[in-house]
Amino acid sequence: MHPNAAIKYSGTHHGLALSGSSMIEPRSDEVLMASIATGDQLSFARLVERHLARTIGLATRLMGSRADGEEVAQEAFARVWSHAARWRPMGGGGNARFTTWLYRIVVNLAIDRKRRPVHAAMDDVDEPVDEADDGFKQIHRRQVSDAVTTALMRLPERQRVAMALCFFEEMSNIEAGKVMSLSVGAVES
């Protein structure tokens, strides 16, 4: 059985639901994991049912959204299914309770997911707005700029410098006067 067969999304609510029995047996996590290691689907369903709510809660807090938390929880239980034979209980050569192992998987998956670059679907991305002027505006702007440059070049040097400082560099007459070592009245004339 594929691990996701026991965990499925329930339609529009993005909630995870279990297939099979909703009765929780008092078998320990260790006993259930030993059965899961041999491919026991019912034991897997019982283990998921026992820990699903807390696993989703932890994953949701780590991810920031319920939908992302459910995806991380689903992947965590898929890993539990596929790696069940590797897990060793405390006292049986292992060093962690089942929940410690499960939550470490959840934390690692959440960290890995947060590190991934976020890619939006092409349909979700707005078409970029072309803020460049159309061809007519560009030609007009170039023609006006050329005419202003020609007129500016015909001015005497002092007036040309004053125009350049005040108009193009947006300096006040006082600032332009200081740059040119002239009085404000001389800049204004």
XYZ file of all heavy atoms in Angstrom, residues 30 32-40 44 47 76-89 98 101 105:
242
model
N 4.909 1.796 19.568
C 5.992 0.869 19.259
C 5.455 -0.401 18.603
O 6.012 -0.897 17.619
C 6.778 0.512 20.532
C 7.608 1.643 21.087
C 6.803 2.688 21.870
O 5.622 2.444 22.216
O 7.351 3.776 22.107
N 2.539 -0.675 17.033
C 2.017 -0.290 15.719
C 3.155 -0.142 14.705
O 3.035 -0.594 13.563
C 1.215 1.012 15.819
C -0.119 0.921 16.562
C -0.734 2.302 16.713
C -1.074 -0.034 15.864
N 4.257 0.484 15.103
C 5.390 0.671 14.182
C 5.994 -0.670 13.767
O 6.383 -0.834 12.603
C 6.461 1.558 14.812
C 6.130 3.033 14.783
S 5.939 3.689 13.109
C 7.627 3.618 12.536
N 6.043 -1.619 14.676
C 6.558 -2.947 14.318
C 5.653 -3.589 13.271
O 6.129 -4.226 12.315
C 6.661 -3.826 15.558
N 4.351 -3.397 13.412
C 3.407 -3.941 12.431
C 3.504 -3.198 11.106
O 3.422 -3.811 10.039
C 1.975 -3.842 12.970
O 1.820 -4.639 14.116
N 3.677 -1.898 11.173
C 3.804 -1.096 9.953
C 5.047 -1.516 9.177
O 5.033 -1.577 7.942
C 3.835 0.413 10.290
C 2.486 0.854 10.847
C 4.214 1.242 9.064
C 2.495 2.222 11.500
N 6.101 -1.839 9.878
C 7.346 -2.270 9.230
C 7.136 -3.529 8.396
O 7.876 -3.778 7.445
C 8.437 -2.488 10.275
N 6.118 -4.306 8.743
C 5.814 -5.519 7.965
C 4.755 -5.259 6.901
O 4.318 -6.177 6.218
C 5.322 -6.655 8.894
O 4.065 -6.283 9.478
C 6.354 -6.970 9.956
N 4.318 -3.996 6.763
C 3.343 -3.646 5.736
C 1.904 -3.649 6.202
O 0.986 -3.629 5.379
N 1.650 -3.623 7.503
C 0.290 -3.654 8.047
C -0.391 -2.294 7.855
O -0.089 -1.326 8.546
C 0.340 -4.035 9.528
C -1.037 -4.173 10.161
O -2.043 -3.759 9.547
O -1.103 -4.709 11.282
N -0.979 1.213 10.309
C -0.594 2.546 9.828
C -1.769 3.512 9.970
O -1.607 4.635 10.451
C -0.125 2.465 8.371
C 0.266 3.793 7.800
C 1.393 4.465 8.244
C -0.509 4.396 6.807
C 1.756 5.694 7.716
C -0.149 5.613 6.283
C 0.983 6.267 6.738
N -2.154 4.486 13.573
C -1.093 5.393 14.017
C -1.332 6.806 13.478
O -1.183 7.789 14.203
C 0.276 4.867 13.561
C 1.470 5.606 14.143
C 1.681 5.194 15.591
C 2.716 5.294 13.338
N 5.128 13.684 6.003
C 5.739 13.070 7.187
C 5.214 11.654 7.393
O 5.996 10.720 7.647
C 5.472 13.928 8.425
N 3.915 11.463 7.245
C 3.367 10.118 7.417
C 3.767 9.201 6.267
O 3.934 7.992 6.465
C 1.854 10.160 7.614
C 1.472 10.537 9.018
C 0.888 11.752 9.295
C 1.734 9.667 10.067
C 0.555 12.096 10.595
C 1.410 10.005 11.374
C 0.817 11.229 11.648
N 3.964 9.759 5.086
C 4.492 8.942 3.980
C 5.891 8.444 4.329
O 6.249 7.289 4.061
C 4.521 9.755 2.684
N 6.681 9.301 4.971
C 8.026 8.890 5.393
C 7.960 7.847 6.509
O 8.784 6.942 6.564
C 8.829 10.102 5.842
C 9.016 11.124 4.741
C 10.440 11.291 4.356
N 10.550 12.205 3.238
C 11.286 13.290 3.226
N 12.008 13.600 4.285
N 11.332 14.048 2.156
N 6.996 8.012 7.422
C 6.829 7.013 8.482
C 6.569 5.657 7.841
O 7.178 4.657 8.218
C 5.679 7.404 9.437
C 5.275 6.234 10.327
C 6.076 8.609 10.286
N 5.682 5.615 6.856
C 5.355 4.351 6.176
C 6.591 3.766 5.497
O 6.914 2.600 5.666
C 4.249 4.564 5.154
C 3.969 3.340 4.338
C 4.460 3.058 3.094
C 3.191 2.217 4.713
N 4.013 1.838 2.665
C 3.219 1.294 3.654
C 2.440 1.889 5.849
C 2.551 0.078 3.686
C 1.767 0.685 5.885
C 1.830 -0.214 4.811
N 7.289 4.588 4.750
C 8.405 4.067 3.954
C 9.654 3.763 4.786
O 10.487 2.968 4.370
C 8.745 5.019 2.812
O 9.151 6.268 3.305
N 9.786 4.381 5.951
C 10.980 4.171 6.780
C 10.671 3.459 8.097
O 11.505 3.467 9.011
C 11.676 5.502 7.073
C 12.127 6.227 5.846
N 13.080 5.719 4.988
C 11.743 7.415 5.316
C 13.260 6.573 3.992
N 12.457 7.596 4.163
N 9.511 2.864 8.192
C 9.106 2.218 9.449
C 10.108 1.160 9.903
O 10.368 1.025 11.104
C 7.714 1.607 9.295
N 10.665 0.417 8.985
C 11.600 -0.650 9.361
C 12.896 -0.093 9.959
O 13.585 -0.788 10.702
C 11.922 -1.510 8.143
N 13.225 1.157 9.666
C 14.457 1.766 10.192
C 14.308 2.257 11.629
O 15.297 2.414 12.341
C 14.867 2.967 9.337
C 15.263 2.613 7.954
C 15.739 3.868 7.259
N 15.844 3.673 5.822
C 15.995 4.643 4.969
N 16.080 5.888 5.376
N 16.092 4.392 3.689
N 13.082 2.575 12.034
C 12.871 3.141 13.367
C 13.067 2.089 14.437
O 12.615 0.950 14.312
C 11.467 3.740 13.467
C 11.217 4.333 14.813
C 11.700 5.507 15.294
C 10.443 3.748 15.863
N 11.281 5.707 16.581
C 10.499 4.629 16.955
C 9.725 2.566 15.990
C 9.857 4.380 18.151
C 9.071 2.320 17.186
C 9.149 3.218 18.254
N 13.778 2.454 15.473
C 14.027 1.557 16.599
C 13.498 2.230 17.865
O 13.862 3.369 18.159
C 15.524 1.292 16.787
C 16.181 0.629 15.606
C 15.823 -0.871 15.574
N 16.388 -1.499 14.404
C 15.701 -1.861 13.333
N 14.416 -1.667 13.280
N 16.278 -2.427 12.307
N 12.670 1.512 18.633
C 12.128 2.114 19.857
C 13.204 2.260 20.930
O 14.223 1.575 20.900
C 11.055 1.118 20.292
C 11.473 -0.186 19.704
C 12.196 0.150 18.423
N 8.513 7.317 19.458
C 7.953 7.490 18.123
C 7.609 8.945 17.852
O 7.919 9.487 16.795
C 6.701 6.623 17.919
C 5.977 6.982 16.660
C 6.482 6.618 15.415
C 4.819 7.748 16.694
C 5.847 6.987 14.242
C 4.176 8.122 15.536
C 4.689 7.737 14.303
N 10.565 11.071 16.993
C 11.001 10.777 15.624
C 10.064 11.426 14.608
O 10.511 12.076 13.658
C 11.063 9.262 15.445
C 11.571 8.775 14.125
C 12.809 8.977 13.590
C 10.849 7.992 13.173
N 12.904 8.362 12.362
C 11.710 7.738 12.087
C 9.561 7.463 13.146
C 11.324 7.003 10.978
C 9.181 6.715 12.055
C 10.061 6.491 10.972
N 10.848 14.527 11.898
C 10.559 14.456 10.456
C 9.770 15.688 10.028
O 10.081 16.325 9.013
C 9.783 13.160 10.116
C 10.665 11.932 10.330
C 9.267 13.198 8.675
C 9.915 10.605 10.265
